[in-house]
Amino acid sequence: MNSFFERRYVIAGIFITIVIILLARLFYMQVIDDRYAIYAGKNVLRQTIQYPARGPILDRNGKVLVLNEPFYDIVVEPRKVKPFDTLALCKLLGIDKAEFDKRWIKACKFGQTTASVFEKQLTPEVYAAVQERLSEFPGFSSITRYLRTYPDSVAAHFLGFIGEVKEPDIKRSNGYYHQGDFIGITGVEKSYETVLRGQRGVLNQMVDSRGRPKGKYANGLFDTAAVAGERLTSSLDINIQKLGEKLMQNKVGSIVAIEPSTGEILCYVSGPTYDPNLMVGRERGNNAAKMYNDVYNPFFIRPIQAKYPPGSSFKPLSALIGLQEGIITPQTTYYCPGYYQAGNRRVKCNNGESHGLVNLSSAVAESCNGYFMMVFEKIINRYGGKATEEEFNKWRDNVKKFGLGTRLDLDMPSESRGNVPTSLYYDNIYHKGGWRSSTVINVAFGQGELLATPLQMANLECTIANEGFYYKPHLIKAIGTHNVIKKEYTVRNYVGIDSQYFQPVINGMEAVVERGTAIRSKIPGIIMCGKTGTAQNTGGESHSVFVAFAPRENPKIAIAVIVENSGEGAHWAAPIASFIVEKYLRGTISQRESGITVEHFANANRLPDSALYYNKFRRKPVPADTAKKQKKDSLQKTQGLKTASGKENKSQATQLKTKKR
């Protein structure tokens, strides 16, 4: 009897233990471990991401530059796929069985329980036909996204383009982006990605065992609405942007125009450009491949990435430094016999043209190289030749205050610094103490190793127009209904030149247009102050350069124009600039002398020889040790020793010369 009662207690104990274990397990599954709740939720709950529309981008007057149009992706989750009519789906999507198999394998590799894009960018018309039968294909569903569209097909380099995220983008986003999402790749689309992309929403739906929708989960209590991206208002003026792109057809170069009183960029042209609509849609890859293979590289953003010798457009800056340093006065004169004696070298001035007696203003107006070489040597040699390196570094620091040789912190990616050479650079070539002011004399008039971007050249004109300061250039002036809040764009950047020194320089720049080298670009009724330049180019004909601001009193626009391989600045760059300036100030373009018309300059083809341009663009820089072995000073390396016919003039091989500005 006792053994019976003992067995009863043992059996009861076993059952109680089992019950406790089961209850503990249930408690763990339902309260502590949430995996099973997630698994159960996935069986009855489907979350659909709601993609917001990207923010539109407008010009300064409210004209739409880019907006959105919807498109549809078909996505697949392999785990949910049931047997279906494969050929029917292929017919709907316009693909063959081999392509279907290829995509199916890729989707399975991506993840059995993860939805991935199976067919991209269906138009609303195609999607309407697919949507009617999509329920016949379990595991396949649709997602609405938005692509960009460009009503006026302008400002491609400013706007940039979007593209699908890559694995590094997904990792950097900490889970925000997923496969198939879009992100800004270049331009404003990249710089303001977090503003433009908006906020994604989530739609929670109940589904049955076959995956069919059965209404909203919790009556939509946990749904979140997608929030569209913010509207961006740019500083561009679409009217002069269109005109600039028209004028730069069949040309390589750039136009940058800035409002001096704010730093807002009004015109931002890179030539050649492209239709931004080509970077949208199913043919995007093919279109991009063609442009990547284009010798003239339309994706290259010349306003901020191209670096050119500023040529004679640098002379006003050189004069201002000389005035501030007390090296010259507005009355300082120089007699130009047609050359300048730089050490033991006789450097020709404007192909040997004698300017006679010139002062500061007339030297600017007549673009006398000799005058500015004289100013440069006086600055560098003020304490004797042994102090060359120290004084050169001081001169370099003064140049950099104008924004040359440094990034201007434009609200765009990939901005170049340009180049203002250091004394160390010359030490590496000529050895320390082995060079003098005469060795590097060509930087005095914007040649040699001195390089600037078109943006930097236009910003220099803003500084002169403002008589001593500039605002950092920028392209976005408002986000949503708020003005740009970056304080750096509202701060005056002073360059260390007293305002009293600007008038003599501006007088010379006014004379350039009124009666000097740019007289053919004079605008009736508007005083434009400018400077032509001929930036020498080792890969062919010189670049045509013109910088200016207008009107003289209370300037509204500053501009830099570069037309590659087009000779003197007065011939191409100056007329193009004058059209942009007049269009902005008046809204129309007045009748000029015969041949000076928009149509003439727009229709002219100034594209460099494609083979020569390809070699130049792909050419690698010469290493410092190689340059040192050549034993050539910087002037010899940058000055052309060819006659107008292109043949080497051996009688002049020992006389370095400069081309006419």
Side-chain angles (χ1 to χ4, degrees), residues 399-514:
V399 170
K400 291 190 68 177
K401 290 177 183 177
F402 285 81
L404 274 64
T406 185
R407 294 189 183 95
L408 291 168
D409 297 328
L410 182 70
D411 49 347
M412 290 276 281
S414 307
E415 181 187 356
S416 172
R417 296 178 183 274
N419 185 56
V420 180
T422 64
S423 58
L424 179 61
Y425 173 85
Y426 293 122
D427 286 344
N428 290 335
I429 296 178
Y430 306 112
H431 71 77
K432 193 173 182 64
W435 56 280
R436 296 288 183 268
S437 60
S438 58
T439 313
V440 298
I441 196 70
N442 54 338
V443 299
F445 48 89
Q447 291 292 162
E449 295 80 11
L450 191 66
L451 299 172
T453 65
L455 177 68
Q456 291 170 337
M457 295 184 201
N459 187 65
L460 173 57
E461 297 311 295
C462 288
T463 306
I464 297 174
N466 291 331
E467 298 188 2
F469 66 89
Y470 65 88
Y471 295 97
K472 285 189 175 182
H474 52 283
L475 283 155
I476 298 300
K477 60 183 298 183
I479 299 175
T481 58
H482 306 287
N483 291 332
V484 170
I485 57 175
K486 288 186 178 180
K487 185 177 180 181
E488 60 187 286
Y489 295 145
T490 63
V491 175
R492 291 183 175 185
N493 297 272
Y494 287 91
V495 297
I497 305 293
D498 295 340
S499 59
Q500 68 191 59
Y501 295 127
F502 283 87
Q503 287 306 311
V505 173
I506 294 174
N507 289 339
M509 295 178 67
E510 179 182 341
V512 167
V513 180
E514 292 296 311

Side-chain angles (χ1 to χ4, degrees), residues 86-124:
T86 306
L87 294 180
L89 180 61
C90 290
K91 185 176 180 181
L92 277 175
L93 299 180
I95 60 176
D96 56 25
K97 182 63 167 54
E99 181 64 21
F100 175 90
D101 292 338
K102 178 181 175 181
R103 297 183 186 184
W104 174 252
I105 292 172
K106 183 178 179 181
C108 291
K109 287 182 178 179
F110 190 78
Q112 286 290 322
T113 60
T114 304
S116 59
V117 177
F118 191 82
E119 176 73 357
K120 301 176 182 178
Q121 301 177 14
L122 296 179
T123 63

Side-chain angles (χ1 to χ4, degrees), residues 35 42 57 99 129 204 220 223 265 268 279 319 344 357 377 403 430 450 459 532 589 601 642 653 660:
R35 287 182 301 167
K42 284 187 175 181
I57 304 175
E99 181 64 21
N204 298 283
D223 293 349
I265 295 177
Y268 188 84
M279 295 302 293
N344 60 358
L357 190 66
E377 285 214 309
Y430 306 112
L450 191 66
N459 187 65
T532 55
I589 298 174
F601 284 87
K642 298 191 176 187
K660 185 176 182 180

Side-chain angles (χ1 to χ4, degrees), residues 1 6 9 42 104 111 129 137 154 201 275 287 310 336 339 381 401 473 484 497 501 504 577 638 648:
M1 192 70 176
E6 289 178 358
Y9 289 128
K42 284 187 175 181
W104 174 252
F137 311 106
V154 296
D275 182 349
N287 295 334
C336 174
Y339 61 86
N381 299 335
K401 290 177 183 177
V484 170
I497 305 293
Y501 295 127
T638 56
E648 186 175 357

